[in-house]
């Protein structure tokens, strides 16, 4: 409902900037049309809140600092239902607190973006040190079965790209999208080009026609499983609830409604994996060893693989920009072609479980794991590549 | 004649699930009558509720309605109001939902003086979950989780809201629907955080366990103990002890939160232009 | 008090027989039947609307005399 007052020049001109990953979320978000931010201060994500506080009002957008993380998540969903492109940002402890309302967002199908700049957990953990320890929480943090999309950038440039994608996917699929940074990406500075809004594809939610008001089903099963969504105040007078509901939005207390809704929520994602799963790789076709990684760890992985190639080892790298839904069929396919898959992660081994499941014994999967707040340097990955290539 | 409120009801969702003699229906009807008198556009009104008996209210009301997580209705409402200040945003909550799990959100919404109409149905108990004590269960009363008597103190919710910064604070009771309607009408017209504590009887999960009789007896208790705030002021201290003042207890004009934010937007855009 | 209207059972099926309307009626109009409220003595009704305002279940409506 915000009046966007982007000048024509703002819409068409790109900018080259020196940005931290956290700042890139702000710039990417503004390009994507972010019009609302609610948050709570937390290291190492506060810079995102600070950036939006500074920049949103000049574009007619809104910023609010809430009393806690739970409130921020609720506020973002409320704003989304009232028509905003809404975003919040946090880190581990805050991400834990947001989980219940995240589930409500999934259930009422409120498009929004939830940034988690991961730090070492559990609990207060190591607040200023990087981690990829919230990968499984991003998938299963809220209770019950549910669909989720989680993207994870490895550079500041990718942070801009994936922030825009997060908004687009949230709007397209009517779902909260999680953007998983880690402290390294969040705080590192890179020179990046911020695209002009006019040059990127921007998606906004499908809306019902005004004449549908009298015969409106807010949670109608459509061919693409995504019901059109009006803004509050447009006269549709519809109901949303965290209870299982039918197409009317109301609970009937019938078990078949629960299955039907869950299946539709899942189908929105499962039938669009091609669109949602973004993978980058450097493969020459002769690979024996693959290093599969995501987030900042991918930087070391790429460097290590290129060094290995120079040594004549048939290695390649795969970077998952979409962590959830997991690239299951892609991994299954490469596991038939290679002998070894190495999965470096800044945790005790989280996404590796999915890799093993998809590889189904066709390739030998091993992890390199750091969970003490230090990074995995390229040397350690190269050493492992050499070991397994023997 | 009283207002016709049928146009605000989702008749196909009624009768409601509240127990026989529960005061929630009376309070809900009073909200609608106050709303009818306020002249506010039904299509520009959002009703948000949390979890518990009070939480069910949103489903019965023909507005844009949102039934959210336990205790968090105010947070969603804050997002809606910030996003579109032209909307009238009503929060319906309970003494468990609003004063226990959602207590922090209540005081911070008051502190901001954001224009939400927060209506707290106080029935002194967790009714939906069958009778655990809430922050508003009187000290000494029994509940399923206070079988030996409740040792907790209560909040004075109206005093709490006032000191936290609410600019319209009122208390009414199901026993006095006419007063409730007047309160709601004025509350809906107020610009700023509007807090109304509506005392309602739970004959099944609170009254019965505490030998307070049925709904009619509990209404009579309300009649004797919840008295007009002007009369209350004149009572000697010893008579005030077991009584609560009712009516509009506090109202002050003060700049509202989304108006203040609009000024930030205007200023930011002006400096951006320079 | 001049008669302003008469109580009607607008939605008898919604009645949960709580008896609140009987309590708030200043005259003797309503009686609790075996399942729901009954308008036992309609002629006594003074049209005060207490019952309509207090009924938690939207059962009772006071209708203007000339509306009937």
């Amino acid at each position: 409902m915000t009046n966007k007052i982007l000048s024509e020049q703002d819409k068409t001109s790109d900018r080259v900037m020196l940005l931290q990953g956290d700042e890139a979320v702000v710039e990417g978000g503004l390009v994507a049309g972010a019009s609302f931010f609610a948050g709570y201060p937390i290291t190492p994500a506060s810079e995102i809140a600070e950036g939006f506080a500074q920049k949103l009002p000049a574009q007619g957008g809104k910023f609010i600092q809430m009393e806690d993380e739970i409130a921020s998540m609720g506020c973002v969903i409320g704003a989304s239902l009232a028509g905003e492109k809404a975003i919040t940002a946090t880190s581990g402890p805050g991400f834990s607190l947001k989980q219940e309302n995240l589930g409500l967002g999934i259930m009422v199908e409120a498009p929004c973006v939830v940034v988690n700049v991961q730090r070492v957990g559990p609990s207060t953990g190591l607040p200023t040190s990087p981690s990829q320890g919230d990968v499984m929480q991003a998938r299963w943090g809220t209770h019950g079965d549910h669909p989720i999309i989680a993207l994870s950038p490895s550079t500041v440039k990718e942070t801009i790209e994936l922030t825009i994608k997060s908004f687009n996917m949230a709007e397209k699929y009517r779902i909260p999208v999680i953007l998983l940074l880690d402290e390294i990406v969040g705080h590192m500075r890179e020179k990046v080009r911020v695209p002009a809004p006019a040059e990127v594809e921007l998606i906004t939610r499908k809306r019902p026609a005004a004449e549908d008001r009298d015969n409106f089903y807010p949670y109608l099963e459509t061919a693409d499983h995504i019901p059109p969504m009006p803004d509050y105040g447009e006269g549709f007078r519809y109901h949303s609830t965290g209870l299982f509901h039918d197409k009317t939005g109301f609970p009937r207390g019938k078990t078949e409604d629960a299955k039907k809704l869950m299946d539709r929520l899942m189908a929105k994602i499962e039938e669009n994996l091609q669109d949602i799963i973004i993978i980058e790789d450097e493969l020459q076709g002769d690979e024996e060893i693959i290093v599969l990684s995501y987030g900042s760890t991918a930087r070391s992985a790429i460097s290590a693989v290129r060094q290995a190639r120079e040594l004549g080892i048939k290695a390649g790298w795969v970077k998952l920009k979409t962590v959830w839904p997991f690239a299951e069929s892609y991994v299954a396919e490469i596991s038939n072609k290679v002998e070894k898959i190495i999965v470096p992660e800044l945790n005790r081994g989280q996404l590796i479980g999915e890799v093993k499941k998809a590889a189904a014994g066709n390739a030998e999967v091993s992890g390199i794991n750091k969970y003490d707040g230090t990074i995995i340097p390229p040397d350690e990955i190269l050493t492992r590549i050499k070991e397994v290539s023997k | 004649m009283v207002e016709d409120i049928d146009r605000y009801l989702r008749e196909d969702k009624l009768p409601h699930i509240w127990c026989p003699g529960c005061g929630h229906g009376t309070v809900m009807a009073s909200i609608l009558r106050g709303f009818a008198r306020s002249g506010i556009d039904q299509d520009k009104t959002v009703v948000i509720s949390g979890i518990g008996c009070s939480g069910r209210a949103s489903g019965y009301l023909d507005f844009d309605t949102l039934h959210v997580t336990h205790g968090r209705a105010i947070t969603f409402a804050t997002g809606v109001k910030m996003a579109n200040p032209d909307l009238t945003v009503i929060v319906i909550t309970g003494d468990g939902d609003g004063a226990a799990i959602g207590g922090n959100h209540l005081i911070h919404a008051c502190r901001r003086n954001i224009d939400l109409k927060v209506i707290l149905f106080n029935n002194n108990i967790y009714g939906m979950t069958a009778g655990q004590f809430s922050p508003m269960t009187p000290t000494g009363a029994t509940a399923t989780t206070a079988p030996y008597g409740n040792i907790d103190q209560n909040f004075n919710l109206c005093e709490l809201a006032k000191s936290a910064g609410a600019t319209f604070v009122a208390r009414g009771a199901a026993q006095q629907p006419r007063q409730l309607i007047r309160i709601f009408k004025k509350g809906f017209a107020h610009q700023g955080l509007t807090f109304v504590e509506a005392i309602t009887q739970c004959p099944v999960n609170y009254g019965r366990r505490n030998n307070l009789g049925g709904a009619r007896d509990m209404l009579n208790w309300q009649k004797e103990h919840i008295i007009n705030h002007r009369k209350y002021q004149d009572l000697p201290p010893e008579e005030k002890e077991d009584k609560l003042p009712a009516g509009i207890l506090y109202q002050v004009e003060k700049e509202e939160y989304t108006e203040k934010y609009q000024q930030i937007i205007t200023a930011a855009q002006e400096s951006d232009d320079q | 008090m001049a008669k302003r209207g008469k109580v009607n059972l607008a939605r008898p099926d919604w009645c949960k027989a709580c008896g609140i309307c009987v309590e708030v009626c200043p005259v003797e109009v309503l009686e609790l039947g075996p399942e729901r409220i009954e308008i036992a003595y309609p002629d006594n009704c003074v049209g005060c609307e207490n019952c309509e305002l207090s009924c938690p279940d939207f059962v009772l409506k006071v209708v203007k005399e000339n509306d009937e």
Side-chain angles (χ1 to χ4, degrees), chain A residues 133-366:
Chain A
D134 304 345
V135 170
M136 293 312 288
Q137 189 187 23
R139 180 64 196 89
W140 295 115
T142 199
H143 59 283
D145 286 322
H146 58 274
I148 201 76
I149 296 173
L151 310 181
S152 189
S154 65
T155 63
V156 176
K157 179 170 170 281
E158 271 178 28
T159 303
I160 291 184
E161 171 200 335
L162 295 187
T163 304
I164 297 168
K165 289 241 187 261
S166 295
F167 273 100
N168 281 349
M169 289 185 191
E171 293 283 322
K172 185 171 180 181
Y173 299 111
R174 281 191 69 174
I175 191 171
V177 173
I178 294 163
L179 185 63
L180 278 178
L181 272 63
D182 53 56
E183 191 274 340
I184 298 173
V185 174
H187 280 164
M188 76 161 112
R189 283 188 190 278
E190 284 178 339
K191 195 171 146 187
V192 290
R193 191 181 79 91
V194 180
E199 68 179 272
V200 294
E201 187 203 12
L202 296 181
I203 299 173
T204 50
R205 62 196 70 169
K206 194 165 62 174
R207 293 175 192 277
E211 57 266 29
D212 294 343
R213 236 173 252 169
D214 295 333
N215 197 23
F216 180 65
Y217 296 106
Y219 294 97
L220 187 69
E221 171 74 66
T222 55
D224 64 359
H225 314 297
I226 305 154
M229 180 181 172
D231 295 347
Y232 282 163
E234 292 185 330
F236 285 84
R237 293 188 210 155
Y238 76 101
H239 186 64
S240 299
T241 174
L243 290 164
F244 274 104
H245 45 271
D246 66 7
K247 67 177 179 180
T248 65
F250 286 92
R252 292 194 305 166
K254 295 195 173 168
T255 53
E256 69 250 35
D257 287 348
K259 181 177 186 309
K260 218 168 143 186
L261 176 57
M262 179 55 68
D263 289 348
R264 180 173 69 73
L265 294 176
M266 295 306 296
K268 288 198 293 187
I269 306 308
E270 286 170 350
E271 292 182 16
N272 292 288
L273 296 178
Q274 288 274 20
D275 181 49
I276 297 167
I277 295 177
I278 311 165
I279 303 166
E280 208 177 299
D281 56 25
E282 194 174 274
L283 301 173
Q284 296 174 17
D286 63 348
E287 276 75 16
E288 291 167 357
I289 301 161
I290 293 263
V291 182
L292 184 146
S293 60
Y294 56 93
S296 65
T297 307
R299 303 166 74 98
S300 296
I302 291 167
S303 168
V305 166
R306 286 177 181 162
Q307 289 177 55
R309 272 282 167 186
E310 281 172 18
L311 298 172
I313 301 170
K314 290 174 178 169
W317 59 262
V318 171
K319 178 166 71 183
L320 301 181
K321 290 183 177 176
T322 301
V323 178
W324 303 112
F326 182 68
E328 199 179 337
S329 49
Y330 175 91
V331 174
E333 204 184 310
I334 58 162
S335 70
N336 286 318
K337 296 177 185 163
V338 305
E339 289 163 25
K340 312 268 166 72
I341 301 174
I342 299 167
V343 186
E345 294 183 88
L346 295 181
N347 55 47
R348 298 240 322 152
Q350 295 196 10
L351 206 65
I352 191 174
E354 303 301 310
V355 178
K356 282 181 178 168
K357 233 194 290 180
N362 294 320
E364 193 185 304
V365 182
S366 66

Side-chain angles (χ1 to χ4, degrees), chain A residues 105-125:
Chain A
I106 293 165
M107 203 69 155
V108 304
E109 301 177 69
C112 58
V113 176
V114 181
V115 184
N116 175 4
V117 187
Q118 297 168 92
R119 62 192 232 189
V120 183
S123 189
T124 315

Side-chain angles (χ1 to χ4, degrees), chain A residues 7-20:
Chain A
S7 69
E8 279 313 306
Q9 194 195 341
D10 291 337
K11 280 183 198 157
T12 53
S13 52
D14 64 344
R15 289 162 296 156
V16 175
M17 302 174 85
L18 181 67
L19 293 178
Q20 284 188 325

Side-chain angles (χ1 to χ4, degrees), chain A residues 5 58 60 62-63 65-68 70-71 74-75 78-79 84 101 104 232-233 237-242 250, chain B residues 10 13 42-44 59 62-67 69 72 75-76 79-80 82-83 104-105 108 112 261 265 269:
Chain A
I5 312 186
K62 317 272 174 73
F63 167 91
Q65 181 171 313
M66 295 298 286
E67 58 272 19
D68 60 39
I70 297 170
C75 193
E84 302 283 4
N101 279 347
L104 191 280
Y232 282 163
R237 293 188 210 155
Y238 76 101
H239 186 64
S240 299
T241 174
F250 286 92
Chain B
R10 288 172 172 148
K13 305 299 168 203
Q42 185 172 5
D43 283 340
K44 298 284 176 200
D62 196 15
F63 300 90
D64 281 322
T65 53
L66 179 61
H67 177 220
T69 45
R72 316 300 175 195
T75 73
F76 291 81
V80 171
M82 273 294 278
N104 197 38
H105 308 307
H108 286 276
R112 291 186 192 102
Y261 198 81
I265 291 175
Q269 288 176 341

Side-chain angles (χ1 to χ4, degrees), chain B residues 191-223:
Chain B
Q191 301 292 307
L193 195 289
T194 300
F195 178 78
V196 181
E197 178 187 8
I199 293 170
T200 130
Q201 67 280 4
C202 174
V204 173
N205 282 314
Y206 176 63
R208 194 184 289 163
R209 189 182 316 277
N210 285 284
N211 300 318
L212 302 177
R216 293 153 79 167
D217 304 299
M218 294 180 82
L219 285 171
N220 282 326
W221 182 92
Q222 289 175 19
K223 194 176 185 175

